[in-house]
Amino acid sequence: MTDQSTASGVTLHGIEKWFGSVAAVRSLDLEILSGELVVLLGPSGCGKTTVLRMIAGLEDPSQGDILIGDTRVNDIEPAQRDVAMVFQNYALYPHMTVQQNLGFGLKMRKVPRAELDAKVSNAAQVLELTELLARRPGQLSGGQRQRVALGRALVREPSVFLFDEPLSNLDARLRLEMRGEIAQLHRRLGTTMVYVTHDQVEAMTLGHRVAIMNEGVLQQYAPPLEVYQKPANLFVATFIGSPPINTVSGAVKSVGGRSVFEAPGLELELATPLASEPATLALRAEGLSLLENVHEVDFTADVVRLEPLGNEVLVYLDGPASESWVARVNPDHPCAVGDTIGVRLDRSRIHLFAGPNQKRIQTRLDAEDSLE
Amino acid sequence: MTVTVLGRVRAGKSLAWVLTFALAASMLVPFLWMLSTSLMDELEVFRFPPRLVPETLRWDNYAGAFTARPFGRYFLNSFVFATLIVLGQLFTAATAGYAFAKFEFKGRDKLFMLYLSTMMVPAVVVLIPRFLLIDTLGWIDTYAGLASTELVSVWGVFLMRQYFRTVPRELEDAARIDGAGPWRVFWTISLPLAKPAMATLGLFAFIDAWKNLLWPLVVTTSMSMRTVEVGIASFHGTFVFN
Ligand SMILES: Nc1ncnc2c1ncn2[C@@H]1O[C@H](COP(=O)(O)OP(=O)(O)O)[C@@H](O)[C@H]1O
Ligand SMILES: [Mg+2]
């Protein structure tokens, strides 16, 4: 494959999309840098596909501007936008051979026959499709179809690649393999890629930045680690991470001049004074320490269930404020179902969320400088 | 025990065979009878008891028919008539069906219902208006007059619309991104996928046109513009009544 495709960034500005009275996307601003791989992540129905289709030009935004490079493309036909899209169901032309599928875009662009053939056979080679060129999509396995769909986008050498859940129809092993290949492809081509998925592992492993959406609204747009460590709101905190983050509903209160977070059976002092209001505490499984020694603990809890995963064990606990705490511990940690055990919460990893949108109000409970 | 079960299965099978043969015979015998009488002379046809096989095979009956009436010309007319209709209906049904299935325009579904509702108007009702129309155009006794009012089939539009609705939207989207304009998408993606429906429609249109008696009878006046169906009917009439 010749690495001559030029990348361009994509900018979405104040994008709204309504289907009748249903809002699919609400006031979306998103800047995707040239050469960046951005993942749109969110639950099914949150508007990811709609965003991708609007970038491709298959759907007109109800409001707002779409820029590819420096050009406003709202009124430009899909064919002229220099984007290629891999569809979730692959959308291979069933009546054409693999060869014809791969070459269709070039043929439409009146690329000379010899050049077309060279590019198609090149792409086929890269994706190990050479043996299958004469077959039709109906005669291919799921993984092979996926490769053809990828190849059809590749041969075009577009300046932006759009992927709509390209791996969701593959089995787990193939998905892992293709994930690696897409990452490698991106490294080699350096083309801008917008990758839609509902799979957080794909998002975390592939994306330079992850845009998390819910019900048509962008929740957070940040590098994967930041999304994990500093979720912008409760939705992001609970959506990202496996096992799901521990949450406790309570309230920030003022007790004798000090701010505390209070929930049934749990009281934590806050380093920074905060306004009194209902709040939710969240803490990932690795933020819980299980101690034999009952001093210095925040509460005691009963071990309900163990999930040994080999390299770690998930310990499910019935404790105060929540009957479903989960802790991530070393596999050699001595605890068994039925034990009563001391739990200490890592102050530096606790998040508090409050307000109508459950925004993060404080990252850590032990430092003053973390309020953003 | 197994014997009786087997026996029953066998009995069932034999019954099925008997029925199959009976049905086949009911189709074949009249046809063979027709072939046989076509080779008899006039008296032999009406002989009682009827003969199954002609005494002498009169092959010249066929030559006689072709000289008594210009059946060659009739066949040609029927063929032109049916072919024009097949081509016309395929074209109009594919394009209109596609538009109804894939394009979004104001009042689309209402218009489609209006279209469908014309299926409820019996063909005989529009026979006179059609004739007047063709007469005004001066197309009586021409191929244009024969075929022009048959080029659109509402049923065909309906069939094609239903079929195009099953073609996934993503296929066309992919083609659009690949650089195909609307006509290209239609010709290279959607239409090839609709081949089965097109074949069905074409077949039915051809058979319908070929068997159409009333319209060609009304709209043609000269011997040389008649279709086979009209020709046979009049040929038949002549020989029964004289
Ligand atoms: N063509 C359409 N007509 C009406 N509603 C649509 C259409 N496409 C998407 N929607 C709605 O918009 C919302 C977002 O859909 P989509 O972008 O497909 O979500 P996702 O890809 O994140 O699962 C959903 O509520 C969906 O029902
Ligand atoms: Mg989707």
Side-chain angles (χ1 to χ4, degrees):
Chain A
M1 187 105 319
T2 47
D3 300 56
Q4 56 184 230
S5 47
T6 49
S8 339
V10 176
T11 310
L12 304 182
H13 199 75
I15 293 293
E16 298 253 342
K17 180 65 187 179
W18 292 79
F19 291 106
S21 60
V22 179
V25 177
R26 301 300 307 271
S27 58
L28 174 66
D29 290 300
L30 200 66
E31 190 172 359
I32 297 158
L33 303 178
S34 171
E36 195 175 19
L37 198 171
V38 164
V39 176
L40 295 184
L41 174 67
S44 172
C46 73
K48 309 178 295 287
T49 298
T50 306
V51 171
L52 218 56
R53 290 175 60 84
M54 285 192 288
I55 297 175
L58 299 171
E59 212 83 69
D60 291 325
S62 312
Q63 232 178 71
D65 298 319
I66 301 173
L67 284 81
I68 295 180
D70 299 324
T71 322
R72 183 173 180 276
V73 295
N74 285 47
D75 305 316
I76 295 181
E77 281 294 302
Q80 268 78 55
R81 293 193 184 191
D82 200 18
V83 301
M85 184 155 166
V86 176
F87 291 84
Q88 182 166 9
N89 54 13
Y90 313 142
L92 301 178
Y93 311 125
H95 57 299
M96 298 185 193
T97 62
V98 169
Q99 168 121 28
Q100 289 165 329
N101 265 281
L102 293 175
F104 187 74
L106 297 177
K107 199 172 139 198
M108 288 299 113
R109 284 175 168 68
K110 309 225 158 39
V111 171
R113 188 81 223 174
E115 190 185 338
L116 185 150
D117 286 341
K119 283 185 172 172
V120 166
S121 64
N122 203 340
Q125 211 164 2
V126 170
L127 292 165
E128 293 164 27
L129 291 169
T130 311
E131 316 282 295
L132 309 173
L133 281 176
R135 291 208 203 164
R136 288 180 193 231
Q139 302 164 310
L140 302 177
S141 72
Q144 291 166 335
R145 277 179 218 181
Q146 216 284 330
R147 281 168 187 280
V148 177
L150 209 57
R152 192 171 64 180
L154 269 182
V155 288
R156 291 256 321 275
E157 296 169 6
S159 50
V160 180
F161 277 103
L162 306 172
F163 295 98
D164 191 0
E165 312 211 15
L167 309 183
S168 61
N169 293 335
L170 302 181
D171 63 54
R173 206 180 61 79
L174 214 50
R175 197 165 358 181
L176 195 73
E177 195 180 304
M178 287 307 290
R179 201 169 78 201
E181 276 190 44
I182 289 176
Q184 201 181 350
L185 209 65
H186 179 257
R187 272 196 299 279
R188 207 183 56 218
L189 299 176
T191 312
T192 314
M193 291 184 177
V194 186
Y195 187 105
V196 161
T197 182
H198 66 265
D199 181 326
Q200 49 164 308
V201 180
E202 265 174 43
M204 302 302 265
T205 51
L206 276 177
H208 295 175
R209 281 195 283 177
V210 182
I212 296 169
M213 293 181 61
N214 187 33
E215 295 180 348
V217 180
L218 181 66
Q219 307 288 318
Q220 187 169 9
Y221 184 33
L225 211 59
E226 187 176 328
V227 164
Y228 187 81
Q229 290 175 340
K230 289 185 178 179
N233 57 35
L234 188 59
F235 174 81
V236 175
T238 48
F239 188 71
I240 299 285
S242 172
I245 198 165
N246 295 295
T247 58
V248 179
S249 308
V252 174
K253 286 192 177 144
S254 202
V255 180
R258 301 168 305 131
S259 266
V260 295
F261 173 81
E262 239 183 47
L266 187 67
E267 187 180 298
L268 299 168
E269 193 169 329
L270 307 181
T272 331
L274 287 175
S276 297
E277 60 181 331
T280 305
L281 173 149
L283 178 61
R284 297 209 181 275
E286 54 268 31
L288 272 67
S289 312
L290 307 186
L291 307 169
E292 306 283 335
N293 161 4
V294 198
H295 308 293
E296 295 271 309
V297 302
D298 291 309
F299 55 83
T300 58
D302 301 327
V303 176
V304 187
R305 188 155 61 93
L306 296 176
E307 275 183 9
L309 299 175
N311 58 339
E312 62 189 20
V313 182
L314 299 181
V315 184
Y316 290 83
L317 301 159
D318 183 354
S322 159
E323 21 341 315
S324 56
W325 290 93
V326 54
R328 194 195 293 275
V329 298
N330 269 331
D332 46 4
H333 192 284
C335 65
V337 174
D339 287 358
T340 299
I341 207 162
V343 178
R344 177 154 179 87
L345 307 181
D346 181 348
R347 302 298 194 267
S348 69
R349 295 185 180 187
I350 287 179
H351 308 292
L352 284 182
F353 302 95
N357 295 325
Q358 293 284 299
K359 282 205 158 48
R360 190 163 53 102
I361 52 172
Q362 191 179 17
T363 323
R364 296 160 56 161
L365 275 73
D366 62 342
E368 306 221 357
D369 61 354
S370 55
L371 240 183
E372 279 162 44
Chain B
M1 193 186 79
T2 35
V3 176
T4 55
V5 172
L6 263 181
R8 232 181 271 161
V9 169
R10 258 194 217 135
K13 264 197 172 165
S14 317
L15 190 67
W17 277 110
V18 169
L19 279 175
T20 309
F21 271 109
L23 269 172
S26 74
M27 299 280 173
L28 276 173
V29 167
F31 185 74
L32 293 174
W33 180 248
M34 183 186 77
L35 276 184
S36 152
T37 50
S38 78
L39 298 172
M40 295 176 183
D41 74 14
E42 223 171 319
L43 291 175
E44 202 177 3
V45 172
F46 295 109
R47 186 141 65 195
F48 194 86
R51 286 186 61 102
L52 292 181
V53 181
E55 212 161 274
T56 50
L57 299 175
R58 297 179 167 274
W59 295 105
D60 55 334
N61 279 353
Y62 282 87
F66 268 83
T67 46
R69 289 282 189 284
F71 271 105
R73 179 73 199 193
Y74 293 172
F75 270 104
L76 177 73
N77 290 343
S78 275
F79 188 77
V80 171
F81 175 56
T83 306
L84 284 176
I85 287 175
V86 168
L87 292 179
Q89 288 196 3
L90 284 180
F91 179 76
T92 55
T95 47
Y98 186 72
F100 279 127
K102 296 287 181 179
F103 293 163
E104 279 177 27
F105 52 90
K106 231 184 154 143
R108 177 185 71 175
D109 294 340
K110 287 207 184 80
L111 188 65
F112 183 65
M113 286 315 287
L114 196 69
Y115 238 74
L116 279 192
S117 63
T118 63
M119 286 218 280
M120 285 186 246
V121 180
V124 190
V125 174
V126 290
L127 194 68
I128 306 296
R130 277 168 75 192
F131 178 79
L132 294 176
L133 184 73
I134 297 301
D135 190 29
T136 314
L137 288 168
W139 286 354
I140 298 292
D141 218 27
T142 63
Y143 286 135
L146 269 172
S148 58
T149 54
E150 301 264 355
L151 297 181
V152 177
S153 145
V154 174
W155 176 79
V157 172
F158 176 71
L159 180 80
M160 294 310 295
R161 170 188 182 260
Q162 297 311 100
Y163 205 85
F164 281 128
R165 277 159 70 99
T166 65
V167 174
R169 175 174 73 157
E170 282 80 8
L171 277 183
E172 304 198 338
D173 290 341
R176 279 174 70 195
I177 295 180
D178 267 345
W183 270 101
R184 256 322 165 102
V185 172
F186 175 69
W187 277 114
T188 54
I189 306 296
S190 307
L191 201 57
L193 292 175
K195 262 189 207 153
M198 294 284 280
T200 308
L201 176 59
L203 198 67
F204 277 102
F206 192 89
I207 293 171
D208 269 358
W210 193 272
K211 291 199 323 190
N212 195 340
L213 171 65
L214 197 54
W215 179 244
L217 183 65
V218 167
V219 89
T220 60
T221 50
S222 69
M223 194 77 111
S224 66
M225 282 310 292
R226 283 184 177 167
T227 58
V228 176
E229 202 71 16
V230 177
I232 287 178
S234 77
F235 187 58
H236 197 231
T238 323
F239 280 81
V240 168
F241 292 115
N242 73 2

